[in-house]
Amino acid sequence: MHEPHLYEELAADLVGLIERGTLKHGARFPSVRRLSEQRGVSVATVVQAYALLESRGMIEARPKSGHFVRARRAEGLREPTAPRPARGPIKVAVTEDAVDLMYATMSDPSLAPLGAACVSPELLPVRKLNGILASLVREVSDLGATYDGGGARPLRQMLARRAITWGVPLGEDDFVITVGASEALYLSLRAVTKPGDTIAVESPLYFGLMQLVSDLGLRAFEVPLHPRTGLDLDALQDALRAGPVRAVLTVPSFSNPIGSLMPPEARERLVKMLARDDIPLIEDDVYGDLSFDGTRPRPAKAFDRDRVLLCGSISKTLAPGYRVGWVAGGRHHAAIGRLKLARTLSTPAAPAMAVAEMLARGSYDRHLRRLRQTLAVQVAQYREAIATHFPAGTKVSDPQGGFVLWVELPAGADSLEIQGHALERGIAIAPGPIFAVRSRYRECLRINAGFPMTDRIGSAIRALGELCERATRGELR
Ligand SMILES: Cc1ncc(COP(=O)(O)O)c(C=O)c1O
């Protein structure tokens, strides 16, 4: 990622004003001359910033009247339906074929990347991170020569510092470094359950979590996610009453695939509800750093450091291929540490050290500030494209962070069918049923908005919209 030019910084500021609602749709921007005076930048910089926003479809220039925030079709979009509560727990079986297809096509550059939830490599400062890794390896010439007994201590120290800014006072000894959040979640589930146990999970549920739950032989009680506010706590209360629930697994900040954000009061209520029966909460926080308005949601762990197992990683913000994650397991910390040793002894030291250095230099936070703004713009652009090209009656989530969109098509459409046809046209998507423990969400799909809105992506969304239109008319069967 290059250092931003002045005009790009100005454009990002203006986008922030639009996203925060300071500048309403249809509102007029200051004239070029006025903004250049206000900001103390050249007229050329303002012209370039306006041109950039125009090319991204955020503003429109009207001859002789100036620049205006573009009215958006996406504003007319309705939010997806909140799922119905489940009646009881069931053994988890994964929708194998569709998930296999997802993984098989995940890194195929010939496909439009609307499937896997990942940020475009061009938005990630991996060159910088690789540079740090290269110098580390040169400077510490015996790096990797021993087992990392301390367990990536520099990274744990940096995480402890960050945790204070999340509102959770944790020390370096509260963390275990893992191979991505996936291992953190696996170890957490292993530490608090045994095969045959029931856990409460959210629905729709990220299919990777479903695979973990299935691998561990657990039964899942699906609790609906409200598209905006997350876990339905009344439905959870019913699930807890129905029988022994050994743990609750949720993604409170910008859940995948629906993008919901649990408000602070709900987090507190959730934690208190679980404290009554002493039930552990496994909190998956991989998207926590990606709120569009820059305020980092306080993890549920802030309300109960003992009972909440907080899992995170850098996969969604920095470098998924580094496979660096962590868990702060609270009272289960020692058990998790032992399980980690039994499974893989330790996490590769060099990538974890490089990430620690990136955090220490402040480069990560600088990068995050830009990434959040970029993703806010992309998500708005994708919603706009869907509003333009998808069948009438399509509903779309409106996440306030992260980069995935949950799309609910009109009745009759079958996203598993659409997935096959879309792949033939060079487009990857994630069909709805892979996010369900019980067979549901056939009319839903998840769209990744982690890549910049180029002509190629725009065309892919248009083609996908046509397919969805045909699917709702039953023409794909
Ligand atoms: C909610 C959620 N949890 C965990 C993961 C996996 O994280 P990691 O790549 O760090 O293992 C993902 C990746 O898509 C995710 O969306």
Side-chain angles (χ1 to χ4, degrees), residues 107-142:
S107 341
D108 181 345
S110 71
L111 295 174
L114 307 182
C118 49
V119 165
S120 167
E122 71 188 275
L123 299 179
L124 299 174
V126 268
R127 270 214 200 122
K128 180 171 243 161
L129 185 58
N130 290 345
I132 292 175
L133 179 61
S135 353
L136 264 174
V137 172
R138 261 197 315 275
E139 284 156 23
V140 191
S141 54
D142 62 351

Side-chain angles (χ1 to χ4, degrees), residues 117-118 179-183 185 202 206-209 251 254-256 284-287 312-316 320 323-325 446:
C118 49
V179 179
S182 301
E183 192 191 24
L185 291 156
E202 57 192 29
Y206 161 55
F207 57 85
L209 294 176
V251 188
F254 318 118
S255 62
N256 173 8
D284 180 347
D285 191 40
V286 288
Y287 296 99
S313 78
I314 51 136
S315 303
K316 303 299 168 184
R323 308 306 300 133
V324 171
R446 187 194 68 188

Side-chain angles (χ1 to χ4, degrees), residues 141-152:
S141 54
D142 62 351
L143 188 64
T146 56
Y147 286 116
D148 185 17

Side-chain angles (χ1 to χ4, degrees), residues 149-168:
R153 185 151 180 255
L155 179 57
R156 289 187 286 113
Q157 286 170 333
M158 293 317 303
L159 288 172
R161 270 203 223 165
R162 290 187 81 70
I164 293 169
T165 67
W166 311 331
V168 197

Side-chain angles (χ1 to χ4, degrees), residues 404-423:
V404 291
L405 289 171
W406 184 241
V407 177
E408 183 182 333
L409 298 170
D414 180 342
S415 58
L416 289 172
E417 248 169 35
I418 294 171
Q419 182 187 28
H421 286 269
L423 281 173

Side-chain angles (χ1 to χ4, degrees), residues 3 8 116 130 169 206 214 231 257 316 324 366 383 440 449:
E3 286 299 316
E8 289 173 317
N130 290 345
Y206 161 55
S214 161
L231 213 56
K316 303 299 168 184
V324 171
R366 279 193 294 281
R383 275 174 47 80
R440 47 170 142 176

